[in-house]
Amino acid sequence: MTNRTLVIVNTTGRQGASLARVATAVGYNVRAHITTKLSEKDGAVAKELQELPNIELIEGSLEDKKLISRLFVGARRAFINTISWGDEVAIGKALADAAKKAGVQHYVYSSMPDHAIFGRGWPSLPLWSCKFTVENYIRQIGLPATFVYTGIYNNNFTSLPYPLFCMKLQPNGVFEWTAPFHPDKPIPWLDAEHDVGPAVLQIIKDGLQKWSGQRIGLAYELLTPHQVCAAFARGLKRPCSYKRGPITVDVPIPNGYRSQLQGIEELFGKHEAPYFGPDIEAPKEALELWEGYRGMEEYAREVFPLEEAANGLTWMQ
C-alpha cells in the first residue's frame, strides 16, 4: 500500500479517536477532522490527538462545503462516524459525494439500522434511521464501502444521573441500573475506545475483496442486563442489580435525544426487538477482526472507576 493517508471524521468521538490512536501507531498518515476547539469540552481528546505522530488535525463545521471538498483530496481510505451536528443526512450525503469525487477506494461508514423497514411494527429510532438513509445513499452512488454497526458502548455507564445507562449508587453501596431492556434477553456490547480502532483497521487491511458492501455487527459480548450487572459486581467487588423500568430523565437533554429515548423504550422495551435487527449477528465477524477485546468485567474493574473519578466522583476512594 503506497498511499497511507486515512481520513477520519469526528476524531474526538470514541470511535474515531480509537482508530486514530491505532492507525498512527502503525504508520498511517491520519487526516483527522474535529469540530471542537482545543479549549472546549472535548479539548483533552483533541490535545491528545495533536500529540500523536503522523496526524493532521482539520477543524471546522461539516456544513462547510469547502472544508468537505478538500477533506478527502489525495486520500484512498476513510472512516466516517457522524453525529447530530445539524442535518446529519445532508452532511452524510455531502461527505460521500466528496469522497467519491476524490477517488476514495474504501469508505468505512459507521451506520445503524432502521427497524421500521422490517415490517413488524417496530418504530424508527431518529438518531439511527438517518444513518441508515446515508448508508443507502452511499450504496446508490457506488462508493466502495463497508458498514459497521456498533453495539452499546460499555463506556455509556456512569453513576451520574444521565438517562438509560445510569449505574445509580444507592445509600447501601449497591449499584442499581434501571432500563427498559428485558432482564434476560442478550444485547450486544462494545468497548468503543479500546476495540473500534483495531477492528476498523483490520477491515481496511482486509480490503474490499472481503468486506465490500458488507454490514458488520461490531460488538464483542452478548450479555443480558443481569449478566452486565454480574460483570460489574465482579469487577467492582460490590453488589450491582438490574431493575426493568421506564427511562427516567432527571437532567436537561436535547429534544432529539429525548425522542431517541422514547423510541428505545418502545423498540426494545415494548417490542423487545433485536438490537441490530434480524439480519446482523454478533460477535462472530467482530472476533474475526480483533480478538483482544475488553469485556464488561474488565471495563468495570479497570476503566469505570477512572472515568468516574474524571467526572469528580469519589465513591471508589
Side-chain angles (χ1 to χ4, degrees):
M1 182 176 66
T2 56
N3 185 324
R4 297 183 66 86
T5 299
L6 171 64
V7 174
I8 303 176
V9 167
N10 184 22
T11 319
T12 52
R14 293 189 188 273
Q15 295 184 39
S18 178
L19 179 57
R21 295 180 188 111
V22 174
T24 55
V26 297
Y28 282 82
N29 298 311
V30 171
R31 189 176 299 161
H33 167 262
I34 63 172
T35 59
T36 307
K37 294 182 179 179
L38 299 184
S39 61
E40 293 181 358
K41 182 184 176 211
D42 292 328
V45 178
K47 288 177 182 177
E48 178 199 351
L49 294 172
Q50 201 171 39
E51 294 174 358
L52 295 176
N54 311 314
I55 196 165
E56 173 192 5
L57 297 187
I58 297 179
E59 182 183 334
S61 169
L62 290 177
E63 294 178 321
D64 182 344
K65 295 182 179 179
K66 291 183 179 179
L67 182 145
I68 288 180
S69 67
R70 67 175 186 271
L71 191 59
F72 300 100
V73 173
R76 294 294 174 263
R77 292 156 188 85
F79 174 71
I80 311 299
N81 177 35
T82 57
I83 58 174
S84 300
W85 295 315
D87 188 339
E88 190 170 352
V89 171
I91 289 171
K93 289 181 176 180
L95 287 166
D97 287 338
K100 185 175 182 183
K101 183 177 180 180
V104 169
Q105 296 173 356
H106 196 174
Y107 194 82
V108 183
Y109 180 73
S110 185
S111 188
M112 286 304 279
D114 181 353
H115 283 76
I117 69 168
F118 298 111
R120 304 188 187 186
W122 296 338
S124 293
L125 297 182
L127 300 185
W128 290 9
S129 59
C130 57
K131 295 181 182 295
F132 189 73
T133 298
V134 174
E135 175 186 333
N136 284 333
Y137 182 76
I138 292 167
R139 294 180 185 276
Q140 289 166 9
I141 66 173
L143 181 60
T146 304
F147 305 94
V148 294
Y149 284 50
T150 57
I152 302 174
Y153 294 0
N154 299 355
N155 321 75
N156 283 344
F157 284 111
T158 177
S159 66
L160 293 171
Y162 296 133
L164 191 55
F165 294 106
C166 175
M167 277 286 183
K168 187 174 182 180
L169 184 59
Q170 307 297 313
N172 62 0
V174 175
F175 279 105
E176 184 178 84
W177 175 32
T178 301
F181 306 111
H182 190 288
D184 298 310
K185 187 178 181 66
I187 43 182
W189 298 92
L190 168 71
D191 191 307
E193 290 191 353
H194 188 270
D195 299 321
V196 168
V200 170
L201 189 62
Q202 191 60 50
I203 291 170
I204 291 169
K205 288 180 177 179
D206 289 343
L208 293 168
Q209 61 269 28
K210 184 169 184 179
W211 300 114
S212 178
Q214 297 296 306
R215 296 182 177 123
I216 301 170
L218 200 55
Y220 286 92
E221 292 183 303
L222 293 177
L223 301 175
T224 70
H226 280 324
Q227 289 172 327
V228 168
C229 286
F232 259 78
R234 292 191 301 270
L236 297 177
K237 298 188 183 307
R238 64 168 65 205
C240 179
S241 64
Y242 178 72
K243 182 174 71 174
R244 190 178 193 182
I247 299 171
T248 58
V249 179
D250 298 323
V251 294
I253 59 173
N255 287 333
Y257 186 46
R258 187 178 298 273
S259 299
Q260 179 80 358
L261 292 174
Q262 291 169 346
I264 286 172
E265 199 162 68
E266 180 180 356
L267 181 62
F268 301 121
K270 177 182 176 182
H271 294 284
E272 298 181 5
Y275 190 80
F276 291 134
D279 300 332
I280 296 177
E281 295 183 0
K284 182 177 181 294
E285 289 183 327
L287 289 169
E288 290 179 12
L289 294 166
W290 165 242
E291 294 182 343
Y293 69 91
R294 182 159 60 198
M296 189 67 73
E297 181 178 344
E298 183 181 354
Y299 165 77
R301 182 178 62 250
E302 298 186 4
V303 181
F304 183 69
L306 298 178
E307 293 182 336
E308 292 279 275
N311 286 326
L313 299 165
T314 58
W315 57 261
M316 70 293 295
Q317 295 178 357

